[in-house]
Amino acid sequence: MNQKTLEPFIYKDKKVDHFSPIDCYKGNQKINGFEATILIDICDAFLEARRTIELSSRQQIIADQCEVLVMGFAKLGLIALIDEATGYQYDREKDELQRLINIYVVEELRPWSHTFKDTYYKEIFRLRGWDFTVSGIKKRPGVVGTWTTKLIYDQLPKGVVDELKKKTPKSESGNYTARLHQSLTSDIGEPHLKSQLDSVITLMEASDTWDEFIKNFNKVVARRQGYHQLDLKLELKPEDFPEDK
């Protein structure tokens, strides 16, 4: 955490005490605790550093471990991961779906923030063979939004994306006047979306073609299904991502 080469990534847009521990108690014993989402912040920093600079061998090992963690967060969602570790999963209420929606979706629309990294769109353009220039970006097919729903939003817990669509206002012509992610909670929903986004970017960067990326994406989703019995859509095919007419 104190390595000079990593500081621009770890402490980017964060206060000095962002990673300070919180006083907690295990019985009468005072221990250090941390906000759960700090782990995602650390993983994001290492993955961004890996994409930007040349890491040492030790840093590379940590970055690889961070990638595994990020995929784990995307599999279950941070809150579900904590529930499983503490045994709370066995005491979940019958209205689990509504509880998840409540912790993922806010009542009031949040202000817009730059959530989807430029790297995400740059990799889509590369894999599709599109021209990533100002004029090329302006001509970006609207179907990219459909792909984003399949690759990112549909991988959130079941029911969340439907609730986001209900919450997001539309114009008289039926077009969304805000982004779906503006209705995600800042502590659970948004971090999960960002971890899924990082996972997809990593798969894109490791792929030479769009078809190869879809194949790799399906492998990851299949592993999630096999290991954790999640209700995720499997076997996306290249034809599921048609060109915008």
Side-chain angles (χ1 to χ4, degrees):
M1 294 289 289
N2 293 325
Q3 295 179 31
K4 295 295 183 182
T5 56
L6 298 178
E7 285 185 1
F9 306 100
I10 292 177
Y11 296 99
K12 180 180 179 181
D13 301 326
K14 295 179 178 64
K15 296 180 180 179
V16 177
D17 62 348
H18 181 73
F19 296 101
S20 298
I22 301 169
D23 289 341
C24 301
Y25 288 88
K26 183 178 182 181
N28 294 325
Q29 180 186 4
K30 186 177 180 180
I31 60 175
N32 286 335
F34 295 88
E35 291 286 349
T37 52
I38 282 180
L39 188 54
I40 291 181
D41 292 337
I42 295 173
C43 289
D44 284 346
F46 267 92
L47 292 177
E48 184 176 353
R50 187 176 67 176
R51 289 194 292 267
T52 307
I53 64 175
E54 183 175 351
L55 301 179
S56 68
S57 58
R58 178 57 182 164
Q59 291 171 339
Q60 183 63 51
I61 291 173
I62 296 175
D64 292 343
Q65 293 170 335
C66 285
E67 181 179 346
V68 173
L69 285 173
V70 164
M71 289 184 176
F73 300 149
K75 292 171 188 173
L76 299 174
L78 182 58
I79 192 65
L81 188 65
I82 294 173
D83 285 353
E84 182 175 317
T86 58
Y88 182 69
Q89 59 175 334
Y90 302 108
D91 300 315
R92 287 177 181 167
E93 301 173 358
K94 293 181 180 180
D95 58 346
E96 172 73 5
L97 176 59
Q98 187 57 52
R99 188 182 73 84
L100 276 174
I101 289 176
N102 288 342
I103 64 175
Y104 269 83
V105 183
V106 294
E107 289 295 329
E108 298 292 332
L109 203 66
R110 296 171 55 218
W112 180 88
S113 62
H114 187 68
T115 300
F116 281 81
K117 302 175 181 178
D118 293 341
T119 308
Y120 171 69
Y121 298 106
K122 185 176 181 179
E123 286 301 310
I124 288 179
F125 272 62
R126 178 181 68 83
L127 293 172
R128 299 300 299 188
W130 295 339
D131 184 23
F132 194 71
T133 60
V134 174
S135 59
I137 294 172
K138 288 181 178 179
K139 298 177 182 178
R140 184 179 77 197
V143 75
V144 170
T146 301
W147 299 349
T148 299
T149 298
K150 291 175 181 287
L151 298 171
I152 309 298
Y153 287 103
D154 281 351
Q155 308 311 314
L156 299 178
K158 181 179 179 180
V160 170
V161 67
D162 292 334
E163 188 68 17
L164 292 176
K165 290 178 178 178
K166 291 179 185 177
K167 293 283 186 181
T168 306
K170 292 183 178 181
S171 64
E172 293 183 0
S173 60
N175 297 318
Y176 288 117
T177 57
R179 303 296 185 184
L180 294 182
H181 63 76
Q182 290 180 248
S183 293
L184 286 170
T185 54
S186 59
D187 57 341
I188 300 297
E190 186 177 50
H192 188 174
L193 179 137
K194 287 183 176 179
S195 70
Q196 175 62 21
L197 178 61
D198 280 338
S199 176
V200 168
I201 290 174
T202 298
L203 290 174
M204 286 179 172
E205 291 176 332
S207 304
D208 293 324
T209 66
W210 181 257
D211 288 0
E212 181 184 357
F213 161 65
I214 297 299
K215 182 179 180 180
N216 290 335
F217 180 84
N218 282 328
K219 283 182 180 179
V220 172
V221 176
R223 286 170 186 160
R224 297 175 192 168
Q225 182 82 16
Y227 298 158
H228 300 286
Q229 293 78 49
L230 293 186
D231 183 18
L232 296 176
K233 181 179 178 181
L234 294 179
E235 290 304 318
L236 292 182
K237 301 176 182 178
E239 53 264 34
D240 290 331
F241 298 84
E243 293 287 357
D244 188 26
K245 303 301 182 182

